[in-house]
């Protein structure tokens, strides 16, 4: 039974300088054709499972006009929903209106995720974004008034020339908004983005580490639980949808460039709008054999505070983690911890989690 679904809306009004996602400029006709096709794709793939989470991401779903949003949300009424459904939609402050928020609420959306990234004018300009504090406060107040209580904002850091003081100002503003989930991202300069082509250099690893540490400490002081390497939530507000990825659960992915994990297969949709509109949804399918599933499980679980639940792991794969990997030396050096039923990376070592995971996987035993 699949409990999670992701729906991709690849349209944006503006293209940010750092963006490497599957996106394109908003065009009314393309959106209309896309939504018709999305409905068909969902009908072809969806197996009538009762969903616990639906996540509409992008691109910028909120850049669709009211009629298009209504069509999109109407499509989701064909999905069976559990009574405790978490239903998220990604929004940008520039194009979210009271009318759109009311529509989301009417269709059962109960979680909003906004990209703020930074409120520093120069850095926002560098990212190709332009939002005022006033606009943010107004939209969030409207959302809360309508009844949204579960709100995430994205914070980005590690910009060239950024200082800890700049981050402090961004955080103070976020705290004043009284929201309950913050996702953080360090700026990664990808080759094929505008800033990548301008040859902009990343900041030093040491400074990035200092910034990450600072953010973790400040969010901790404000009562946010650091439940995944980059994600922080007030109690009871962890993202159930994102946890499905980190727990290596199966999920549907609908829309351009979306990927699904179904029946031990990773299915990636095409990024070509032309192909998608011709019903050629799938670009590639990869069968994930048991050894790879185990690797994914370990890599993804170890991103979270809980880490790997050893009992569930044994039930799922019929093997103990300690029989599959030799991680004694990692335990000895404090890079992994085992407590009760869980094997996890201690929070103060999350910054080097990639290195720890590589070391763990290198300790694979012949079974
Ligand atoms: S970062 Fe988001 S809003 Fe900006 S171009 Fe990429 S998908 Fe669109």
């Amino acid at each position: 039974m699949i409990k999670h679904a992701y729906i991709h809306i690849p349209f944006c009004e503006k293209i940010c300088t750092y963006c490497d996602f599957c996106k394109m400029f908003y065009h009314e006709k393309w959106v209309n054709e896309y939504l018709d096709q999305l409905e068909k794709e969902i009908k072809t793939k969806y197996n009538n499972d009762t969903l616990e989470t639906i996540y509409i991401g992008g691109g910028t779903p909120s850049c669709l006009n009211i009629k298009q949003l209504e069509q999109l949300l109407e499509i989701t009424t064909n999905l069976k929903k559990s009574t405790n459904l978490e239903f998220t939609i990604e929004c940008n402050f520039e194009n979210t209106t009271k009318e759109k928020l009311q529509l989301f609420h009417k269709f059962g959306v109960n979680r909003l995720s906004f990209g703020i990234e930074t409120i520093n004018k120069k850095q926002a300009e560098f990212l190709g974004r332009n939002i005022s504090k006033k606009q943010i406060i107004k939209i969030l107040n409207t959302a809360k008034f309508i009844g949204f209580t579960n709100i995430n904002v994205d914070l980005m850091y590690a910009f060239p020339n950024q200082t800890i003081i700049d981050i402090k100002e961004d955080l103070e503003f976020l705290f004043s908004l009284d929201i309950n989930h913050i996702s953080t991202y360090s700026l990664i300069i990808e080759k094929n983005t505008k800033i990548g082509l301008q040859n902009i250099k990343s900041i030093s690893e040491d400074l990035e580490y200092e910034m990450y540490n600072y953010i973790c400490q400040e969010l901790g002081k404000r009562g946010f639980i650091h439940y995944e390497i980059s994600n922080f939530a007030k109690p009871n507000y962890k993202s159930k949808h994102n946890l499905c990825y980190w727990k290596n659960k199966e999920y549907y992915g609908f829309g351009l460039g979306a990927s699904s994990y179904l029946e031990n297969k990773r299915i990636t949709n095409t990024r070509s709008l032309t192909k998608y509109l011709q019903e050629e949804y799938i670009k590639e399918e990869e069968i994930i054999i048991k050894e790879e599933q185990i690797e994914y499980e370990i890599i993804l679980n170890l991103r979270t505070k809980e880490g790997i639940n050893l009992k569930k792991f044994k039930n799922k794969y019929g093997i103990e983690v300690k029989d599959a990997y030799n991680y004694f030396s990692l335990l000895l050096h404090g890079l992994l911890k085992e407590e009760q039923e869980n094997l996890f990376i201690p929070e103060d070592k999350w910054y080097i989690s990639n290195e720890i995971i590589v070391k763990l996987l290198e300790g694979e035993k012949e079974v």
Side-chain angles (χ1 to χ4, degrees), residues 7-55:
I7 299 173
H8 193 71
I9 302 298
F11 302 99
C12 296
E13 276 175 342
K14 275 190 285 177
I15 301 297
C16 305
T17 58
Y18 61 96
C19 181
D20 191 32
F21 301 137
C22 174
K23 71 337 171 150
M24 63 192 70
F25 276 113
Y26 175 91
H27 186 292
E28 191 175 357
K29 182 172 165 282
W30 292 348
V31 178
N32 291 340
E33 290 177 22
Y34 182 77
L35 291 174
D36 291 342
Q37 204 52 247
L38 181 70
E39 184 168 13
K40 279 194 199 163
E41 189 205 355
I42 294 179
K43 277 193 181 137
T44 327
K45 291 188 183 166
Y46 172 61
N47 234 343
N48 224 20
D49 306 88
T50 303
L51 300 173
E52 288 180 3
T53 71
I54 300 173
Y55 192 107

Side-chain angles (χ1 to χ4, degrees), residues 17-19 126-127 160 187-201:
T17 58
Y18 61 96
C19 181
F126 167 73
L127 296 179
L187 174 71
I188 296 175
I189 301 176
E190 305 282 1
K191 269 195 219 146
N192 294 323
T193 59
K194 195 169 171 195
I195 52 174
L197 294 168
Q198 286 167 349
N199 246 339
I200 306 256
K201 296 278 168 270

Side-chain angles (χ1 to χ4, degrees), residues 302 304-310 327-350 356 360:
L302 286 177
T304 63
K305 192 179 173 77
E306 277 179 9
I308 305 165
N309 181 303
L310 297 170
Y327 54 85
F328 182 69
S329 140
L330 292 170
L331 288 175
L332 204 68
H333 289 95
L335 298 172
L336 279 179
K337 267 194 175 177
E338 206 172 303
E339 270 174 20
Q340 287 145 4
E341 284 179 355
N342 293 72
L343 179 68
F344 59 92
I345 299 176
E347 205 177 318
D348 62 343
K349 304 284 186 305
W350 279 3
I356 298 174
L360 172 66

Side-chain angles (χ1 to χ4, degrees), residues 14 43 63 128-129 161 174 193 232 283 365:
K14 275 190 285 177
K43 277 193 181 137
C63 80
R129 301 181 77 104
N161 304 322
L174 294 197
T193 59
F232 303 79
K283 183 179 167 220
K365 291 179 178 175

Side-chain angles (χ1 to χ4, degrees), residues 216-361:
C216 296
Q217 276 171 17
E218 293 304 305
L219 288 169
K221 281 188 211 160
R222 298 295 183 128
F224 283 88
I225 301 161
H226 192 183
Y227 72 103
E228 191 268 348
I229 294 178
S230 310
N231 283 275
F232 303 79
K234 290 277 175 72
N236 303 322
Y237 286 100
K238 290 178 193 169
S239 159
K240 290 188 204 164
H241 185 81
N242 287 343
L243 277 168
C244 102
Y245 301 135
W246 302 317
K247 289 187 174 169
N248 198 26
K249 294 195 174 166
E250 296 195 318
Y251 54 88
Y252 289 108
F254 303 117
L256 201 73
S259 55
S260 308
Y261 182 34
L262 301 170
E263 294 169 356
N264 301 328
K265 272 192 261 170
R266 293 220 180 253
I267 305 160
T268 312
N269 275 5
T270 179
R271 279 184 164 219
S272 152
L273 184 64
T274 314
K275 286 190 177 165
Y276 188 81
L277 294 179
Q278 288 164 352
E279 294 182 34
E280 277 182 60
Y281 308 126
I282 296 175
K283 183 179 167 220
E284 56 191 31
E285 279 191 20
E286 184 196 358
I287 296 173
I288 310 293
I289 58 169
K290 189 177 163 191
E291 288 72 16
E292 289 167 328
Q293 287 172 35
I294 289 180
E295 273 195 26
Y296 276 122
E297 184 94 17
I298 287 175
I299 294 169
L300 294 165
N301 285 187
L302 286 177
R303 290 187 62 90
T304 63
K305 192 179 173 77
E306 277 179 9
I308 305 165
N309 181 303
L310 297 170
K311 204 168 160 192
K312 285 188 188 156
F313 185 95
K314 167 95 195 291
N315 288 341
K316 193 165 172 185
Y317 298 106
I319 183 169
E320 305 255 10
V321 181
K322 66 176 166 32
D323 293 333
Y325 294 95
N326 183 354
Y327 54 85
F328 182 69
S329 140
L330 292 170
L331 288 175
L332 204 68
H333 289 95
L335 298 172
L336 279 179
K337 267 194 175 177
E338 206 172 303
E339 270 174 20
Q340 287 145 4
E341 284 179 355
N342 293 72
L343 179 68
F344 59 92
I345 299 176
E347 205 177 318
D348 62 343
K349 304 284 186 305
W350 279 3
Y351 195 72
I352 50 162
S353 61
N354 285 347
E355 287 87 333
I356 298 174
I357 292 168
V358 168
K359 283 241 163 346
L360 172 66
L361 297 178

